[in-house]
Amino acid sequence: MPGEFDLIARYFTRHAARDDVALGVGDDAALLRPPPGQVLAATVDTLIAGVHFPEQTDPADIGHKALAVNLSDLAAMGAEPAWVMLALSLPRVDDSWLHAFAEGFHALAARHRVALVGGDTTRGPLSITVQALGWVPEGQALRRDGARPGDGLYVTGTLGDAGLGLAVLQGRAEVPPQYREALCARLNRPEPRVEAGLALRGVASAAIDISDGLAADLGHLLVASGVGGRVALDRLPRGDAVRAADAHGRLALTAGDDYELVFALPAAQERALAALADRLPPLSCIGRVEAEPGLRLVDADDNPVAFSHQGYDHFREF
Ligand code: ADP
Ligand code: MG
């Protein structure tokens, strides 16, 4: 597109502050030096205007989130993020939009010390694709398929905040005004749990990040592991606003976009987990892995709770 090279030079060429980047933006391909003995973890995600975010979303939030969702996937593998690539499709060259987008993107990249090493820029409907690359020592990745019956199930942070934030923005829910900003920040500025993923290497038996809601994503982990699970609804970690809006925990169970981690922990690792407390966000034990396939929900007295995803379309994102 016209001005493409200018635009790349202005917004997407930053000195790569990593010595494992032999050659970054500017040539036909980047040249990268993965450390010996490590496995490369690679992930890619696309955000499309009107599908994954409303067209008028603050571009700084879009820049942040496009990177954050990819770093969250690396976190869920226990991988250390190193390099990212950015493919942008833009309807027009809008300097103030690009400036804000790049700021949101680079600020998060700098916090996690990841280098933008290349990408592609074309004219078309607004869409952002980020590929993130990182590494993990051979055999230590937090895969989805390692959970075993008897393992505890844990989640980081709190659930349902982003989903409630979206419902508030769309006029489907109301919350006391003091909660609004924090809920919208959870939706627009998710913080990938990179540190937690690294700390859980060699400790958790399986992990996944929660992008589509706990029930859906934990379901993927259980299926991949060939097991089932039991989750106590009253143990789902919820902030005050979500608790008030969602007395039964259904929002925490089904809302997406929180980008917390859910992981399985063998009983033999409980001490190791406790010893990691200062490297981990608040954790909640929500249930346990069982041999019988399927996800079973129970109340505080361990009585089964019927659960229909259909019934909560109200809180579903799209
Ligand atoms: P080619 O035609 O060889 O694909 P491009 O003209 O697409 O090269 O890109 C030139 C250089 O700029 C390449 O190094 C590419 O990786 C980089 N680049 C293009 N778009 C972006 C972007 N949005 N962010 C970061 N780097 C980019
Ligand atoms: Mg290209």
Side-chain angles (χ1 to χ4, degrees), residues 4-5 8 12 24-29 85-88 116-121:
E4 173 189 341
F5 296 106
I8 296 165
F12 301 116
V25 170
D27 213 311
D28 295 311
M85 305 189 84
L86 169 65
L88 270 180
L116 177 61
V117 297
D120 195 31
T121 307

Side-chain angles (χ1 to χ4, degrees), residues 32-59:
L32 309 168
R33 293 190 194 95
Q38 313 253 349
V39 175
L40 199 59
T43 184
V44 63
D45 262 305
T46 296
L47 299 185
I48 300 173
V51 178
H52 300 100
F53 59 87
E55 197 99 28
Q56 67 280 6
T57 305
D58 179 342

Side-chain angles (χ1 to χ4, degrees), residues 165-245:
L166 182 71
V168 167
L169 285 179
Q170 293 180 338
R172 291 185 284 114
E174 276 185 37
V175 295
Q178 69 269 28
Y179 295 126
R180 230 187 122 93
E181 199 179 325
L183 294 174
C184 294
R186 282 299 300 272
L187 177 68
N188 291 322
R189 297 246 169 185
E191 282 297 330
R193 294 295 194 182
V194 173
E195 279 301 314
L198 294 177
L200 290 168
R201 280 176 182 173
V203 175
S205 55
I208 189 169
D209 67 323
I210 305 174
S211 52
D212 297 330
L214 174 69
D217 291 314
L218 175 57
H220 297 316
L221 182 153
L222 297 174
V223 168
S225 296
V227 295
R230 170 178 302 250
V231 163
L233 276 177
D234 66 301
R235 293 213 217 154
L236 300 183
R238 289 166 292 159
D240 292 340
V242 171
R243 208 169 269 284

Side-chain angles (χ1 to χ4, degrees), residues 7 72 133 219 242 251 253 291-292 316:
L7 180 164
S72 176
L133 300 160
V242 171
L251 180 58
L253 193 65
E292 189 192 334
R316 278 171 74 175

